[in-house]
Amino acid sequence: MKGKKTDIQNPELWEFPMDYPMSIIGHEGEHETLLNEIKLILGSQFPEFDLASIEVKPSKTGRFHSARVNLYLTHAEQVNELYAALDNAKTVRMVL
């Protein structure tokens, strides 16, 4: 593995610019905290992103919440910075 665990490992496979849908899975019972933390991260890294477009849904069992977003990315460094910020977020369990 090259670089940090949040870095793109095969940049040649990515084509920019691109729409990039993702789901951010949060810990049980932290719906509002997860949403606030995601808004802070996305608001700082993607100022033009419409924060109201974030969809948050509970899992079937209710143990987790998933925040779905669709981002417009223009270069690989945006992906690396986004995954690093989400990796450091306390309420984020997984990113898909």
Side-chain angles (χ1 to χ4, degrees):
M1 185 164 101
K2 298 184 293 185
K4 300 182 296 289
K5 70 177 182 175
T6 56
D7 286 352
I8 292 175
Q9 297 303 308
N10 297 301
E12 66 279 0
L13 300 178
W14 293 67
E15 290 185 33
F16 295 96
M18 67 186 295
D19 286 320
Y20 189 72
M22 66 186 324
S23 292
I24 304 164
I25 313 299
H27 293 289
E28 178 180 8
E30 297 194 18
H31 168 262
E32 287 302 318
T33 309
L34 172 68
L35 185 58
N36 290 336
E37 200 161 27
I38 292 170
K39 285 182 177 182
L40 283 172
I41 291 168
L42 296 180
S44 67
Q45 294 187 8
F46 301 91
E48 68 287 344
F49 179 74
D50 179 12
L51 296 174
S53 71
I54 300 172
E55 297 178 38
V56 180
K57 296 181 180 180
S59 67
K60 289 179 185 177
T61 63
R63 291 188 54 214
F64 305 100
H65 281 83
S66 171
R68 296 172 191 231
V69 299
N70 192 24
L71 302 171
Y72 183 73
L73 304 174
T74 57
H75 53 85
E77 194 53 40
Q78 283 180 306
V79 179
N80 295 340
E81 290 172 4
L82 175 59
Y83 275 90
L86 292 170
D87 187 54
N88 289 327
K90 292 180 177 151
T91 59
V92 174
R93 180 176 174 94
M94 179 185 325
V95 180
L96 305 171

